[in-house]
């Protein structure tokens, strides 16, 4: 008798952040928050076994899904064959430009992202990565992130979680918590709890600085040296004591930069020379 060879079990790769979402109610919350409909274009990073992809396709939106792990080809091929509104691109999302994916203005990024990519991917999606301010095709990001990252995205100025990521994102977007997600919602179970956040991109920065480049430099200097006073952190980044005493006039000399809100950081950056 002809026996089929057994199908090898799929072994999730930790190096690719493969924790597949198995909780239907969490998948529903993501879809509800994204509120995609026919006419929308949605980028999904890491469709994996297609659980979220199927729900996105059911909204009628056009879905472009970028996946790196070729072992997932069989399942995604079937999905692609049955849904003309799905295009799967086999690539590393971090090496792929948004324009190469053909994303129109006003697209959305909706994904249970691999956690090793969280911060760089969010910054890139907002046009806020090291390439400088490149703009973004996205109007909304709905993302599953580590709970600790959600705390940073939602942090209040002066809190332990308020940092360079909070500042970069909150200048460019409004962030809200959609839901917290316990680790048991995934298979395999990850080592941390998670949360879904909805990030709505602003038409313009919340508090526009005179020079975005200098603002970024100031923010970096302050949060790279959190334990230093504001003046010492900026001195270490190259601004002179004289320049600083003028720019920081009116501020408590012992104040730490991390207590400043967006407006305070912008005022300071605008008062400093390049
Ligand atoms: N969307 C699926 C779900 O919710 O169950 C899978 C999510 S899993 C957390 C992350 C997915 O991202 C995996 O399928 C993984 O192979 C893929 N991935 C990891 N690194 C990637 C990269 N650099 N570019 C594209 N996909 C990547």
């Amino acid at each position: 008798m002809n026996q089929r060879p057994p199908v090898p079990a799929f072994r999730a790769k930790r190096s690719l952040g493969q924790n597949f979402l198995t909780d239907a109610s969490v998948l529903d919350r993501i879809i509800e928050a994204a509120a995609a409909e026919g006419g929308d274009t949605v980028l999904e990073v890491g469709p994996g076994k297609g659980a979220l992809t199927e729900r996105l396709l059911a909204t009628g939106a056009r879905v472009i899904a970028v996946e790196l792990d070729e072992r997932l080809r069989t399942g995604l091929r079937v999905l692609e064959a049955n849904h003309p509104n799905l295009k799967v691109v086999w690539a590393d999302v971090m090496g792929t430009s948004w324009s190469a994916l053909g994303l129109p203005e006003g697209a959305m990024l909706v994904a249970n992202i691999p956690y090793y990519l969280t911060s760089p991917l969010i910054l890139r999606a907002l046009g806020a990565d090291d390439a400088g301010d490149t703009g973004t095709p996205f109007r909304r990001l709905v993302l599953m992130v580590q709970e600790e990252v959600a705390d940073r995205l939602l942090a209040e100025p002066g809190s332990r979680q308020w940092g360079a990521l909070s500042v970069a994102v909150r200048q460019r977007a409004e962030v809200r918590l959609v839901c917290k997600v316990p680790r048991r919602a995934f298979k395999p179970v990850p080592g941390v709890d998670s949360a879904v956040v909805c990030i709505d991109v602003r038409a313009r920065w919340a508090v526009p600085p005179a020079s975005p480049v200098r603002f970024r430099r100031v923010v970096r200097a302050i949060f790279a040296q959190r334990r230093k006073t504001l003046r010492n952190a900026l001195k270490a980044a190259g601004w002179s004591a004289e320049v600083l005493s003028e720019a920081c006039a009116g501020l408590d000399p012992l104040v730490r930069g991390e207590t400043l809100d967006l407006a305070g950081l912008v005022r300071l950056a605008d008062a400093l020379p390049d």
Side-chain angles (χ1 to χ4, degrees):
M1 207 168 60
N2 239 353
Q3 279 207 329
R4 281 201 199 153
V7 180
F10 183 87
R11 285 179 74 96
K13 277 193 190 165
R14 207 192 282 204
S15 62
L16 289 179
Q18 288 181 337
N19 300 101
F20 300 99
L21 185 52
T22 52
D23 185 318
S25 67
V26 178
L27 287 161
D28 289 343
R29 296 296 297 274
I30 296 174
I31 294 298
E32 209 178 279
E37 47 189 39
D40 280 324
T41 300
V42 177
L43 171 66
E44 186 188 4
V45 171
K49 296 179 182 176
L52 180 59
T53 323
E54 279 194 78
R55 280 176 161 76
L56 286 169
L57 289 166
T59 67
R62 181 164 77 104
V63 178
I64 299 172
V66 181
E67 176 57 64
L68 185 57
D69 188 350
E70 301 259 353
R71 297 175 306 154
L72 295 159
R73 224 177 240 279
T74 312
L76 289 174
R77 230 185 228 156
V78 173
L79 210 55
E80 214 174 9
N82 291 320
H83 294 87
N85 51 336
L86 173 64
K87 180 177 164 199
V88 181
V89 177
W90 296 92
D92 175 350
V93 70
M94 295 310 274
T96 311
S97 70
W98 306 139
S99 57
L101 292 172
L103 292 173
E105 280 301 309
M108 291 190 216
L109 168 57
V110 182
N112 170 21
I113 49 181
Y115 288 167
Y116 76 97
L117 287 184
T118 309
S119 298
L121 184 62
I122 292 176
L123 291 173
R124 214 183 128 221
L126 294 176
D129 57 352
D130 280 338
D133 276 294
T134 49
T136 171
F138 299 111
R139 77 166 194 278
R140 171 173 292 168
L141 324 179
V142 180
L143 301 174
M144 177 79 72
V145 298
Q146 305 90 310
E147 194 173 23
E148 163 263 323
V149 175
D151 289 344
R152 281 156 63 198
L153 295 174
L154 294 157
E156 290 302 323
S159 65
R160 205 164 41 83
Q161 290 87 359
W162 178 247
L165 179 70
S166 332
V167 172
V169 173
R170 299 268 281 280
Q171 273 285 30
R172 296 167 173 84
E174 280 183 59
V175 185
R176 78 180 167 87
L177 176 69
V178 174
C179 59
K180 294 198 171 186
V181 183
R183 59 193 80 186
R184 64 170 184 278
F186 303 88
K187 265 196 189 126
V189 176
V192 293
D193 289 322
S194 299
V196 178
V197 289
C198 180
I199 301 176
D200 278 323
V201 180
R202 301 176 193 273
R204 56 197 291 272
W205 283 29
V207 188
S211 159
V213 173
R214 188 167 64 240
F215 178 75
R216 175 199 280 257
R217 206 178 135 209
V218 168
V219 170
R220 274 208 180 151
I222 287 175
F223 291 106
Q225 313 257 358
R226 295 183 78 105
R227 302 174 128 238
K228 292 196 174 177
T229 62
L230 179 62
R231 283 183 200 213
N232 285 343
L234 293 171
K235 216 186 277 173
W239 281 284
S240 72
E242 298 76 59
V243 157
L244 286 168
S245 54
E246 205 171 305
C248 300
L251 285 172
D252 175 352
L254 294 180
V255 78
R256 289 200 184 154
E258 68 193 49
T259 61
L260 297 180
D261 61 8
L262 293 182
L265 289 164
V266 167
R267 254 196 315 274
L268 179 63
D270 285 356
L272 285 167
D274 284 330

